[in-house]
Amino acid sequence: MHDPQVMDSLAQVMIVGQIASAIAVMTAVTTTFGQSRIASHAIDAIARQPEARGPVTTSMFVGLAMCETGGIYGLVIAILLLFANPLVGHFMRLMEVGL
């Protein structure tokens, strides 16, 4: 298993996993900006019409929950790609078979 071509191929698989996890982490970063925008618009709406506080607050929390699930999914995918990358296991099985 010390064949340089196999090791280079394994390194490429791991690099792709690292890049994909960095992209997945970006969902958490962009989620933060989206949530701050939702909250600021909700505060602005409540400031303009204080009597609509209940419906605006309810809609805000629903929007925040939906944004947060996207960020959580991104973080879960990033953690899986970093620590339990299924592509590495699949690559190792292919190398054992000789494909």
Side-chain angles (χ1 to χ4, degrees):
M1 185 71 181
H2 293 301
D3 184 19
Q5 288 180 333
V6 172
M7 297 305 278
D8 287 343
S9 298
L10 179 61
Q12 289 176 353
V13 168
M14 294 178 78
I15 288 170
V16 169
Q18 296 283 326
I19 292 170
S21 65
I23 292 170
V25 166
M26 288 303 295
T27 61
V29 172
T30 56
T31 297
T32 304
F33 291 119
Q35 286 180 337
S36 65
R37 188 168 176 163
I38 289 171
S40 69
H41 286 324
I43 291 169
D44 188 37
I46 291 170
R48 277 193 247 133
Q49 292 183 335
E51 66 275 2
R53 179 180 183 164
V56 170
T57 303
T58 302
S59 298
M60 179 188 71
F61 283 127
V62 169
L64 289 174
M66 289 185 172
C67 284
E68 190 63 31
T69 57
I72 290 171
Y73 287 144
L75 288 174
V76 167
I77 290 170
I79 289 170
L80 285 175
L81 287 173
L82 287 174
F83 299 111
N85 192 342
L87 295 176
V88 173
H90 184 67
F91 178 80
M92 297 303 279
R93 281 191 297 277
L94 285 176
M95 289 299 110
E96 288 174 3
V97 172
L99 293 177

